[in-house]
Amino acid sequence: MRIDDGVFAYGGGWLDRAGALRADSERLAALRADERTRVLPLWNDRCLVTAEHVPVRLTGVAATRVLVAAAETVFLGLDGGVAVFGADLTRHSEADALALTGAVSAVDVRKLAGRLDPAEAAAQAYARGLFHWHRQQRWCGSCGAPTTARDGGHVRVCSAPECGRLFFPRIEPAVIVLVQAPDGAARCLLARHAGASEGSYSTLAGFVEVGESLEDAVRREIAEEVGVEVTDLEYQGSQAWPFPAGLMVAFRATALSEEVKVDGVELLEARWFTPDELRARAAAGRLGRIDSIDRHLLGSWLAATGQPA
């Protein structure tokens, strides 16, 4: 799922993040009180949606009520000069959160893929990632004192005067790779992960470790997971993946050998696929998640072979 300028799902939304306003507490207070301000409520990392599966967006009195009731609020940015805040209602029961917002259900934003406007999905995922971070950073990792939110919800501060450490939201970069066969052979390598259903295959991926470049991570992950050395790495794009805090960085690489050896723990099997086999999977709706860059990697490789999905 991409939007018109080529940005992948969960990125490129309509918000000006307005970072310069985050530390202006007076301006943020005025924006919270503005009747035009929009509030996106979430519960337990899920979108609160209407009967039509449209995320609830509140203004006026309803927005103020939810901001007051929220355990945490975050300033997400400006949309054409109108402020947009997120409100986390997780401290309430699901029933109370629905009643408070007029929503009918709480739904994971990933289940709305293909229904939501991409920019709306980006805003919802942005808020979701921040609220998850807030719940995981309630205590100082240095001294154990409670932390409090600041700067529109984009910083947490240790409450101990002798410490005062600042905490910022972190992302967890990962590489995702389409490996193609050596010597120009029209085959690509996909794997079935532990826990995946029979016949479910995807591209290879893994987190970047401390002290690694992205390219180092590609080479290590492919060697560890399928026992293949790769060369000719080509950057293909990146995707925000705030579930809870990922950044997917996509590559295409070429194997030095077609011999494959999986670890049997993380991966159960791996095999080479021809373009015809991938097109058959595409026809069956099994060519990657609709909202994932994985789908783009597979589709663009097929197009490069002259056999688009």
Side-chain angles (χ1 to χ4, degrees):
M1 185 170 75
R2 304 181 75 173
I3 57 180
D4 290 343
D5 63 359
V7 179
F8 296 97
Y10 311 121
W14 30 252
L15 288 177
D16 169 7
R17 296 200 176 197
L21 294 180
R22 293 172 184 172
D24 189 340
S25 57
E26 291 186 4
R27 178 63 175 147
L28 289 184
L31 290 173
R32 285 170 64 101
D34 191 323
E35 64 179 11
R36 300 175 303 158
T37 288
R38 294 199 294 274
V39 173
L40 309 182
L42 285 83
W43 180 83
N44 199 28
D45 291 338
R46 299 177 187 174
C47 304
L48 295 174
V49 300
T50 67
E52 292 76 30
H53 280 77
V54 176
V56 170
R57 288 196 271 174
L58 304 171
T59 57
V61 174
T64 300
R65 182 171 63 246
V66 166
L67 288 172
V68 170
E72 296 287 353
T73 63
V74 293
F75 172 61
L76 298 174
L78 302 173
D79 178 17
V82 175
V84 182
F85 286 83
D88 185 9
L89 298 175
T90 302
R91 71 179 179 183
H92 301 275
S93 69
E94 182 175 4
D96 286 347
L98 297 177
L100 186 62
T101 60
V104 300
S105 61
V107 181
D108 190 320
V109 66
R110 288 170 289 187
K111 292 187 177 180
L112 301 176
R115 298 186 188 181
L116 282 189
D117 174 272
E120 182 70 49
Q124 292 287 339
Y126 174 24
R128 182 194 191 280
L130 283 176
F131 287 138
H132 181 90
W133 169 72
H134 276 286
R135 291 197 297 276
Q136 300 302 311
Q137 195 61 73
R138 296 198 178 281
W139 307 95
C140 176
S142 295
C143 72
T147 62
T148 57
R150 202 182 75 182
D151 292 8
H154 292 265
V155 180
R156 291 191 73 88
V157 185
C158 175
S159 61
E162 66 277 12
C163 181
R165 183 178 173 184
L166 303 181
F167 297 91
F168 300 89
R170 303 297 185 194
I171 59 171
E172 299 167 354
V175 292
I176 182 167
V177 191
L178 184 138
V179 179
Q180 54 196 2
D183 302 322
R187 289 183 293 278
C188 69
L189 183 62
L190 303 181
R192 183 163 73 91
H193 292 73
S197 60
E198 189 73 28
S200 293
Y201 294 89
S202 62
T203 51
L204 299 161
F207 286 105
V208 181
E209 294 186 351
V210 174
E212 276 189 325
S213 68
L214 297 173
E215 294 81 1
D216 289 340
V218 168
R219 287 185 281 265
R220 175 185 54 77
E221 281 290 340
I222 303 306
E224 288 179 353
E225 293 192 349
V226 292
V228 172
E229 291 186 42
V230 294
T231 186
D232 298 334
L233 277 61
E234 297 179 5
Y235 172 73
Q236 301 293 300
S238 65
Q239 178 185 28
W241 193 257
F243 305 109
L247 173 68
M248 303 296 290
V249 185
F251 288 86
R252 189 184 297 176
T254 300
L256 294 179
S257 166
E258 290 194 40
E259 183 179 350
V260 174
K261 183 179 180 180
V262 299
D263 60 14
V265 178
E266 186 174 350
L267 296 183
L268 300 181
E269 59 176 312
R271 57 172 290 247
W272 296 94
F273 283 79
T274 66
D276 283 345
E277 288 175 311
L278 278 196
R279 286 203 306 151
R281 293 181 68 80
R286 306 187 72 178
L287 197 69
R289 288 182 56 97
I290 190 173
D291 59 340
S292 172
I293 199 169
D294 171 69
R295 190 181 183 93
H296 166 70
L297 280 173
L298 294 166
S300 63
W301 181 81
L302 268 178
T305 68
Q307 300 186 48

